[in-house]
Amino acid sequence: MGDSTPAKGKTFDSVEKAELSSSKKPLSSGKKLTPLKTDDLSADSKMPAKKSPKSSSSKSSSPPAGRKKSGKPTYLEMTQNAIVALKDRSGSSNIAIGKWVLANNEHCKSVPPNMFKSRLNQAIKAGVKEGRFAKVKNSYKISSEWNKKQKAASRAKDASRKKAEKARTAELEKSKQKKKEQSDEEERKRKEKDMVSVIIDLCT
């Protein structure tokens, strides 16, 4: 009885060691597991995010009335030119404005009639909204208040330009005076030096 107990303990220890050693063995599949490279992770992290597609509906088919293309007046400017040129005291109608614009702006002749009419109406509405045009029944005139503001702005611009020119002229005069003073000072020093040399010559 006393001999059988330690034998059982030995067999238990041997079984436990066998299980531990088997758990440390490599996989029986025979294939080596390749470790994940950090370059792969960095490459994935550097991939640009997909941009959400922008809807084409955000772009309007016709440009706003106030937008100016290169070398071409805007519809707002052409409308104003038409009203000024027509010189109608009671105001100019949409039809009269449209005819004048077409007759005096070659690039408008290639625009489809419906699009031209739409752009012209937008320009007239924009001019009325900003106070440039005054609506008289179904006609439009240049607003007297807008004319006053434009004249005041032009006077202020001219005054600012004249002030800048005056300041620039004063700066030039100041620079000339400074150069003249420097030249006079150099001439005085030269004369003093010549006089000293003459006195030295006389003393020797």
Side-chain angles (χ1 to χ4, degrees):
M1 292 292 290
D3 297 331
S4 61
T5 304
K8 289 180 181 179
K10 288 180 180 179
T11 57
F12 179 79
D13 292 340
S14 62
V15 171
E16 187 176 3
K17 288 179 180 179
E19 289 177 355
L20 290 172
S21 61
S22 64
S23 64
K24 292 179 181 179
K25 291 180 180 180
L27 295 174
S28 59
S29 61
K31 295 181 179 180
K32 293 183 180 180
L33 296 175
T34 56
L36 187 61
K37 296 181 180 180
T38 56
D39 294 339
D40 298 336
L41 293 174
S42 61
D44 293 337
S45 62
K46 292 179 180 178
M47 289 179 66
K50 292 182 179 180
K51 295 182 180 179
S52 58
K54 295 182 180 179
S55 59
S56 59
S57 60
S58 61
K59 295 181 180 179
S60 58
S61 58
S62 60
R67 185 176 297 174
K68 188 172 183 178
K69 292 184 178 181
S70 57
K72 296 178 183 179
T74 63
Y75 277 79
L76 186 60
E77 291 171 346
M78 291 187 293
T79 302
Q80 180 181 342
N81 294 338
I83 295 172
V84 172
L86 290 170
K87 298 179 181 179
D88 195 336
R89 292 184 179 180
S90 59
S92 303
S93 64
N94 293 45
I95 297 173
I97 293 170
K99 285 181 179 179
W100 189 94
V101 170
L102 284 173
N104 293 274
N105 297 275
E106 291 293 328
H107 66 278
C108 292
K109 294 179 181 180
S110 60
V111 180
N114 291 338
M115 187 179 291
F116 173 79
K117 185 177 179 181
S118 175
R119 291 178 180 178
L120 189 68
N121 289 335
Q122 286 179 7
I124 292 172
K125 288 179 181 178
V128 172
K129 188 176 180 179
E130 73 176 55
R132 183 180 297 210
F133 306 147
K135 187 175 182 181
V136 183
K137 294 182 180 181
N138 292 325
S139 300
Y140 300 91
K141 297 169 64 177
I142 303 297
S143 172
S144 58
E145 292 295 325
W146 188 84
N147 272 334
K148 289 178 183 178
K149 289 180 181 179
Q150 291 299 307
K151 287 178 181 178
S154 179
R155 285 196 296 268
K157 189 176 180 181
D158 290 341
S160 178
R161 180 178 56 80
K162 288 179 181 178
K163 187 177 179 180
E165 288 179 355
K166 189 176 180 181
R168 187 163 54 250
T169 303
E171 187 67 24
L172 289 172
E173 289 294 331
K174 187 177 179 180
S175 178
K176 287 179 181 179
Q177 183 66 24
K178 189 175 180 180
K179 287 181 179 179
K180 187 177 182 301
E181 290 176 357
Q182 289 177 351
S183 179
D184 292 343
E185 182 67 18
E186 290 175 358
E187 182 67 17
R188 185 182 64 80
K189 288 180 179 180
R190 188 183 63 79
K191 287 181 179 180
E192 287 180 355
K193 188 177 179 181
D194 292 343
M195 188 176 294
V196 169
S197 62
V198 169
I199 293 172
I200 292 171
D201 291 340
L202 290 173
C203 292
T204 58

